[in-house]
Amino acid sequence: MALSEAVLRLAPGDEVGVALRDLPAGTVLAGTLGEITIGSHIPQGHKVALADCGVGAPVHKYGQAIGEATARIAPGDHVHTHNLGMGALSRNYEFGTARISPAAPAGPRPVFQGYRRANGRAGTRNYIGIVTSVNCSASTARMIADQFRGPVLDAFPNVDGVMALTHGSGCGMVLGSEGAEVLVRTLHGYAHHPNFAALLVVGLGCEMLQTERFLDDAVSAVAVERLTIQESGGIRASVRAGVELIGKMLPLVDGLQREPIDVSELVLGMNCGGSDGFSGITANPALGVASDLLVAYGGTSVLAETPEVFGAEHLLTRRAISPAVGEHLLRRLAWWQDYARQGGGTLDNNPSPGNKAGGLTTILEKSLGAVAKAGKAELSRVVEYAAPVTGPGLVFMDTPGYDPVSVTGIVAGGANVVCFTTGRGSVLGCRPAPSIKLGTNTDLYRRMPEDIDINCGVVIDGGMGLEELGGAIFARILETASGRQTVSEELELGQDEFVPWQLGTVT
């Protein structure tokens, strides 16, 4: 078999390549490197040794070190956790040495059909949101939302749904602490999100986090109502009152119409979950092409998951528009390393078992593939978790790598559409923002066709190049922003995936 048909070498000089198919033991591969015999079965997406590596020698993929050999590696060996480890990490940080400002293609500017809110922001969906101030009001909020599932909304075709945003905090907290401020920012971001056309805010009454801390007059909603359980006669009375209030909102929200809005008003959130050996080869770089297109048109794109850029941060600092931006990213990484130590771990606790089953070995390898989502555009800003994202350009948000928490922060920041790449089959939704699922390989798409929007495995199959696929993703982003439903929306996913990052003291 020809080596080029079975193994993809991502950069000249890489000691490893990626298996494009399952390679049984004894398979002989012929190419410019000579004949290589596969020593043991190597699954698709896993790494194949293309050169000798002695113990302690660096191993490269993407032209970057992904770890050190922990045992001697010979050509044809399977390279994974049994013979590759983190080793000593050394990075040379430069600032602004690789800045690129993508140019917009010639021709008419793209538009999407969105909702223009009274405060000037652009929405891509038309939801009624029930926002809770405290966990004590969570069940009440869910009971209210449950009354508006199914045929009850058939008479209001322009209403995308009624959803409750519940969480596990809001009391027993130290107001003004880091943890409290993170929750306030998150709730403020959702309460002011342009995809919510109307709001009902439900509290208990005696909680630490009173609604005025996250709700002000700058909301996008056409109607805002507040409900306090202790003042409304208890849970049953509050549910009845909430249902009545939302019933009055429905005609108002249904009367809102989509209109053409320039592409520059899109805020694209990007996340990956259940990554595999193809993530950094297909879906992530293709999404990077789409991200660059959006930035070129004056839009905003948000990269996140700080623990999952660890080891690749030097590539981002080179793209920073100033030393201050690059140093901000490095400070957040230093915080994360200390945070992991306090919890008895390290940032190389990631990759997960599923990532490793898909061929990823170290966090360095995973991170190098993850940052491909950001394309090539210069890095304009670094913002805290759930902080408002102001465009244009590529922005980095400091979030955990845990998908629901990360995406919650991105949406709180203002993302009105999300692209989520997965190689193992993550099933996350993130209402009120639509989530476009990008599968990294064709086997996944065939196995879970009702959970993946776009099959990026066509890059490996030879049916489409990265630039063409990136253009197709960009076109799907515009279609989705204009109302095309995603597979996660068809299943009404996203309510349970609202998971604010919990930090700080609980008293």
Side-chain angles (χ1 to χ4, degrees):
M1 183 184 300
L3 178 67
S4 59
E5 295 177 359
V7 178
L8 178 63
R9 195 183 201 184
L10 295 170
D14 282 356
E15 291 87 2
V16 296
V18 178
L20 300 176
R21 62 191 69 187
D22 282 354
L23 298 175
T27 301
V28 178
L29 305 176
T32 56
L33 299 176
E35 285 194 351
I36 294 176
T37 302
I38 301 301
S40 62
H41 172 252
I42 301 178
Q44 182 186 50
H46 283 236
K47 292 178 290 300
V48 181
L50 302 176
D52 280 300
C53 297
V55 176
V59 176
H60 293 83
K61 180 182 175 183
Y62 305 107
Q64 301 285 330
I66 61 170
E68 294 181 356
T70 57
R72 183 183 176 278
I73 297 173
D77 284 352
H78 180 201
V79 178
H80 203 25
T81 54
H82 60 285
N83 55 11
L84 178 65
M86 271 280 289
L89 176 63
S90 177
R91 290 289 187 253
N92 178 32
Y93 297 119
E94 300 173 352
F95 302 102
T97 58
R99 291 177 59 181
I100 296 175
S101 297
R109 289 183 61 83
V111 297
F112 66 98
Q113 297 295 318
Y115 294 98
R116 176 65 69 194
R117 303 305 183 192
N119 63 1
R121 298 178 71 186
T124 63
R125 291 296 183 268
N126 216 26
Y127 279 101
I128 296 174
I130 306 174
V131 182
T132 55
S133 60
V134 66
N135 180 255
C136 303
S137 58
S139 294
T140 301
R142 285 183 178 276
M143 291 178 193
I144 296 170
D146 286 346
Q147 304 308 306
F148 296 93
R149 295 174 64 91
V152 68
L153 292 182
D154 287 351
F156 307 98
N158 290 335
V159 179
D160 287 306
V162 178
M163 60 177 296
L165 298 173
T166 64
H167 56 92
S169 187
C171 208
M173 62 196 312
V174 181
L175 292 178
S177 67
E178 182 180 22
E181 291 307 305
V182 164
L183 180 59
V184 168
R185 283 202 305 270
T186 305
L187 293 177
H188 182 277
Y190 273 80
H192 293 71
H193 199 282
N195 285 2
F196 280 132
L199 286 177
L200 173 62
V201 182
V202 182
L204 177 61
C206 58
E207 60 267 25
M208 294 286 285
L209 181 56
Q210 296 288 305
T211 58
E212 58 266 20
R213 285 186 173 268
F214 62 85
L215 192 64
D216 56 41
D217 294 334
V219 296
S220 300
V222 294
V224 180
E225 298 287 351
R226 304 187 194 209
L227 191 62
T228 303
I229 295 169
Q230 292 170 346
E231 296 175 0
S232 301
I235 291 177
R236 289 179 175 85
S238 296
V239 171
R240 289 192 293 270
V243 170
E244 182 179 352
L245 288 169
I246 289 178
K248 295 177 180 178
M249 295 176 183
L250 286 170
L252 294 175
V253 175
D254 191 57
L256 301 174
Q257 300 293 320
R258 291 183 180 270
E259 61 182 83
I261 298 177
D262 189 77
V263 65
S264 62
E265 298 195 50
L266 283 179
V267 181
L268 172 66
M270 301 183 294
N271 215 85
C272 53
S275 300
D276 71 347
F278 289 130
S279 293
I281 301 171
T282 62
N284 288 353
L287 178 54
V289 172
S291 173
D292 282 345
L293 274 171
L294 179 60
V295 169
Y297 282 117
T300 306
S301 192
V302 186
L303 180 68
E305 301 178 278
T306 315
E308 297 187 12
V309 302
F310 176 63
E313 70 275 10
H314 62 298
L315 302 179
L316 293 174
T317 61
R318 294 173 189 171
R319 295 161 55 180
I321 63 170
S322 69
V325 170
E327 288 164 357
H328 191 171
L329 176 61
L330 296 181
R331 285 197 303 274
R332 295 315 302 163
L333 274 165
W335 183 93
W336 273 98
Q337 292 182 70
D338 184 60
Y339 182 61
R341 280 192 295 269
Q342 292 177 25
T346 68
L347 290 185
D348 198 39
N349 288 344
N350 194 335
S352 70
N355 297 149
K356 292 177 180 177
L360 298 175
T361 307
T362 68
I363 187 59
L364 308 182
E365 179 184 10
K366 185 177 182 182
S367 294
L368 289 165
V371 299
K373 297 192 299 294
K376 298 177 181 178
E378 62 187 12
L379 179 63
S380 63
R381 278 173 306 290
V382 175
V383 300
E384 306 304 309
Y385 181 87
V389 174
T390 55
L394 174 66
V395 178
F396 184 85
M397 178 179 285
D398 177 29
T399 76
Y402 181 43
D403 304 331
V405 179
S406 178
V407 177
T408 294
I410 294 170
V411 175
N416 48 18
V417 64
V418 171
C419 280
F420 191 97
T421 70
T422 182
R424 303 295 291 171
S426 295
V427 293
L428 180 125
C430 54
R431 292 186 301 164
S435 172
I436 304 169
K437 295 285 181 48
L438 309 177
T440 71
N441 63 85
T442 300
D443 285 348
L444 168 65
Y445 185 72
R446 289 171 178 163
R447 191 168 65 250
M448 300 176 65
E450 295 178 305
D451 295 286
I452 303 296
D453 292 283
I454 297 177
N455 174 27
C456 297
V458 292
V459 172
I460 296 298
D461 302 339
M464 193 177 290
L466 282 174
E467 292 294 325
E468 184 181 0
L469 178 58
I473 293 171
F474 182 72
R476 181 66 66 89
I477 291 170
L478 291 171
E479 292 172 5
T480 301
S482 300
R484 176 173 176 168
Q485 277 208 321
T486 66
V487 291
S488 64
E489 289 181 294
E490 291 170 357
L491 293 171
E492 298 186 356
L493 301 180
Q495 183 169 275
D496 292 331
E497 292 85 350
F498 173 72
V499 186
W501 188 13
Q502 290 196 27
L503 285 169
T505 303
V506 177
T507 59

